[in-house]
Amino acid sequence: MLDVAVIGAGQAGLSAAYHLVRFGFTPYDEVVVLDRNPAPGGAWQHRWDSLTMHDVHGIANLPGVPVPESVGAERANAFVPAYFADYEKRFELPVVRPVAVESVREIDGGFALDTSAGEYAAAALVNATGTWDRPFIPWYPGIETFRGRQLHTADYRGAAELSGQHVLVVGGGASAVQLLAEVSEVATTTWVTRRPPEWRTGVDFTPEYGRQVVARVEERVRAGLPPRSVVSVTGLHLRQQEQAAWDRGVYTRLPMFSRITPDGVEWADGSKQHVDTILWATGFRADLAHLSPLHLREPSGGIRINGTATAADPRIRLVGYGPSASTIGANRAGFAAARALRDLLAHDERQQVSA
């Protein structure tokens, strides 16, 4: 039986693996990282080609090796995976791929992980599966009747395929703002959100402000509520590369439609808009279905955690979830989870010896 199984090799999973090895867990014999992707890079390898390092909101350094210098024009879906691949190799991290963890159940002494590569057993878990594999599209009346194309941010590959169309962008987050700027250069657009967007102006994202944001997100997960996005706390920020779209009036927002029709959408007042493509920039949900047999969810739908530990079982650590969903937060959570499991498993071993 392994001491620790890490599920996912994105930023949070690599951070946890690095620290576990540094704390003395033997790679492959005592700790492994199971990653469903065919190559290093986590979710970054799946992002659209037009997303450059100039566009991303910043990549935190993985522990021990800084992010390489970027000129800004590099494709993020190549630059970041190359960084992750070098990191795995440099520290000889015990990543096994492609291995999809299908379910986790409790057994005597730990947990059994049923995977696409057979069964693994571990005394403790670090779950770092992120959100990319659970894109969220809300249901609206008539959604099944729409004759145009519907795609989620996760399916987006670039504005060129939408050229000449009328594109309805749904969602009030940073991705919607970025995609509106890009798509509006080759297509006409309509932007709809559930709530009026709150633009962040005159506020510098200082470390102190960042801590306040994380604290507000953490309040929810401590209470067992589903985590909200950081943007729901910080508001939206218009970057320099989006100023031209602002000047063109692209960010004139409409309230949500009441239903989807075969050729567009309709609002409650009867007004309609023809639409060729609906682009759902409606976010993602935590990818935690494989943990369902462990019954960690609260009646409110979230998983109550204290730090990185699930309230139900301190042997189960969630990193890259809730307040640690940012790249900086993921690094810190990886360290915290590794240190806590080192102490917890050492304590368990001492108990067994004394018994």
Side-chain angles (χ1 to χ4, degrees):
M1 176 182 286
L2 297 162
D3 285 332
V4 183
V6 180
I7 308 174
Q11 187 103 15
L14 292 182
S15 173
Y18 169 87
H19 289 296
L20 285 165
V21 172
R22 296 264 295 183
F23 284 140
F25 291 90
T26 305
Y28 297 106
D29 290 334
E30 295 177 333
V31 59
V32 297
V33 184
L34 305 177
D35 186 42
R36 74 170 61 186
N37 287 296
W44 287 100
Q45 63 194 282
H46 305 299
R47 297 182 185 269
W48 52 97
D49 288 347
S50 58
L51 181 71
T52 69
M53 294 303 295
H54 179 65
D55 298 318
V56 301
H57 294 280
I59 306 299
N61 296 330
L62 283 163
V65 179
V67 178
E69 288 287 333
S70 165
V71 299
E74 301 96 337
R75 281 171 34 194
N77 62 9
F79 185 91
V80 179
Y83 172 49
F84 283 15
D86 174 75
Y87 190 83
E88 291 181 17
K89 184 177 180 180
R90 181 187 299 248
F91 293 108
E92 299 180 335
L93 298 181
V95 182
V96 183
R97 63 167 57 90
V99 178
V101 178
E102 295 157 355
S103 67
V104 181
R105 51 195 165 82
E106 193 166 4
I107 58 173
D108 288 341
F111 305 94
L113 291 76
D114 297 315
T115 81
S116 58
E119 184 177 291
Y120 286 79
L125 303 173
V126 176
N127 192 84
T129 46
T131 62
W132 185 261
D133 290 307
R134 281 206 63 205
F136 173 69
I137 295 180
W139 182 87
Y140 279 90
I143 190 170
E144 69 283 352
T145 70
F146 184 61
R147 292 194 294 258
R149 183 184 180 195
Q150 298 188 58
L151 69 159
H152 188 273
T153 307
D155 308 310
Y156 179 77
R157 292 297 174 263
E161 62 184 1
L162 304 174
S163 180
Q165 298 185 19
H166 189 89
V167 180
L168 180 76
V169 178
V170 184
S175 292
V177 171
Q178 179 183 327
L179 294 181
L180 277 161
E182 185 171 307
V183 172
S184 65
E185 293 183 354
V186 300
T188 57
T189 60
T190 296
W191 184 29
V192 297
T193 67
R194 287 192 298 123
R195 292 182 294 272
E198 296 184 12
W199 296 96
R200 178 168 61 89
T201 57
V203 178
D204 293 329
F205 205 97
T206 61
E208 176 57 30
Y209 181 66
R211 284 190 290 271
Q212 294 174 11
V213 170
V214 169
R216 291 177 63 181
V217 176
E218 191 171 12
E219 287 177 6
R220 290 184 59 83
V221 296
R222 282 187 178 276
L225 298 170
R228 285 180 178 165
S229 68
V230 172
V231 168
S232 69
V233 178
T234 64
L236 293 170
H237 174 64
L238 191 71
R239 300 172 301 164
Q240 182 178 356
Q241 58 264 46
E242 292 147 359
Q243 185 62 50
W246 178 277
D247 295 340
R248 295 196 306 270
V250 169
Y251 298 115
T252 301
R253 165 263 180 191
L254 295 177
M256 286 302 299
F257 44 82
S258 59
R259 70 186 187 97
I260 299 174
T261 66
D263 67 347
V265 292
E266 181 177 334
W267 282 266
D269 63 2
S271 59
K272 299 180 180 180
Q273 172 64 59
H274 169 76
V275 174
D276 298 299
T277 295
I278 301 176
L279 177 51
W280 298 96
T282 42
F284 299 79
R285 298 294 182 265
D287 184 12
L288 300 173
H290 54 286
L291 301 181
S292 294
L294 301 176
H295 305 293
L296 301 175
R297 288 197 182 274
E298 300 288 322
S300 55
I303 296 178
R304 190 186 303 270
I305 63 172
N306 297 313
T308 63
T310 62
D313 193 329
R315 298 171 301 170
I316 305 171
R317 301 276 158 166
L318 300 187
V319 296
Y321 175 83
S324 64
S326 67
T327 56
I328 293 177
N331 282 349
R332 294 171 179 166
F335 170 74
R339 181 177 59 182
L341 290 180
R342 175 200 63 184
D343 297 343
L344 179 66
L345 294 179
H347 175 70
D348 289 346
E349 289 171 1
R350 289 193 295 271
Q351 282 188 325
Q352 291 172 7
V353 170
S354 63

